[in-house]
């Protein structure tokens, strides 16, 4: 069976599963995340089924991301958050649970928001030479 036949977000896009729609055009669909980490927590997805960032066509990505600031602005006007996180999880280890590419827009209202990334940085673990070698390892694959 093709992956998209079993995909909850494809079913939402087709209207086979109800959703609280925020925005739709020929390329993208945006709707409230059931989880509502904070009020107005919204997902934006491409209408074509692409499972994660590693499978996302850059042209599709461009169409999707041009809508992200528009939706962020609408959330701002609706609820006046003091900040907003964009989040995209790729792969189970990274927290992805629905394998249809999506970007979370999570408005932030204050320190009691039930979201905590808790990043631990490792600035002192690398020399400038090591950073340059890592950057080169990546950039050598960009064509
Ligand atoms: P991920 O964990 O893959 O980054 O995010 C998937 C998100 O999809 C979760 O935040 C979850 O709350 C949301 N979600 C899962 N099933 C449904 C659904 O049926 N409807 C809606 N609106 N959101 C869903
Ligand atoms: Zn899908």
């Amino acid at each position: 069976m093709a992956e998209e036949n079993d995909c909850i977000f494809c079913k939402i896009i087709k209207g086979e599963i109800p959703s609280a729609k925020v925005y739709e055009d020929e390329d993208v669909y945006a709707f409230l995340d059931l989880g509502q980490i904070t009020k107005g927590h919204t997902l934006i997805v491409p209408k074509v089924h692409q499972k994660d960032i590693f499978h996302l066509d850059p042209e599709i990505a461009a169409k999707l991301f041009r809508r992200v600031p528009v939706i962020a602005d609408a959330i701002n006007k609706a609820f006046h958050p003091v900040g907003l996180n964009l989040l995209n999880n790729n792969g189970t280890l990274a927290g992805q649970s629905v394998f249809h590419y999506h970007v979370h827009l999570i408005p932030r209202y204050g320190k009691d928001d039930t979201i905590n990334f808790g990043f631990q940085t490792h600035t002192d673990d690398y020399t400038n030479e090591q950073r340059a070698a890592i950057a080169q390892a990546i950039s050598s694959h960009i064509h």
Side-chain angles (χ1 to χ4, degrees), residues 3-11 13 46-50 98-101:
E3 251 177 30
E4 49 264 49
N5 292 333
D6 205 26
C7 171
I8 196 150
F9 287 176
C10 281
K11 288 181 181 156
I13 293 162
K47 284 194 168 172
V48 290
H49 179 90
Q50 307 204 320
V98 176
F99 292 84
H100 180 129
Y101 184 83

Side-chain angles (χ1 to χ4, degrees), residues 37-86:
I37 291 173
T38 60
K39 186 174 71 175
H41 176 190
T42 298
L43 301 174
I44 179 166
V45 306
K47 284 194 168 172
V48 290
H49 179 90
Q50 307 204 320
K51 76 174 180 184
D52 58 24
I53 191 73
F54 306 110
H55 297 81
L56 184 64
D57 180 330
E59 296 301 323
I60 303 286
K63 288 174 175 166
L64 184 127
F65 273 93
R66 67 191 291 277
R67 289 298 173 199
V68 169
V70 174
I71 293 167
D73 190 53
I75 292 171
N76 258 342
K77 286 181 172 136
F79 298 126
H80 309 291
V82 294
L84 185 145
N85 288 106
L86 288 185

Side-chain angles (χ1 to χ4, degrees), residues 17-29:
I17 291 177
S19 66
K21 181 166 88 175
V22 169
Y23 175 80
E24 178 176 17
D25 63 30
E26 62 181 356
D27 301 307
V28 305
Y29 191 89

Side-chain angles (χ1 to χ4, degrees), residues 8-9 12 31-35 43 89 95-98 102 104:
I8 196 150
F9 287 176
I12 285 174
F31 56 106
L32 286 196
D33 190 302
L34 263 189
L43 301 174
N89 302 321
Q96 185 174 12
S97 60
V98 176
H102 53 281
H104 296 256

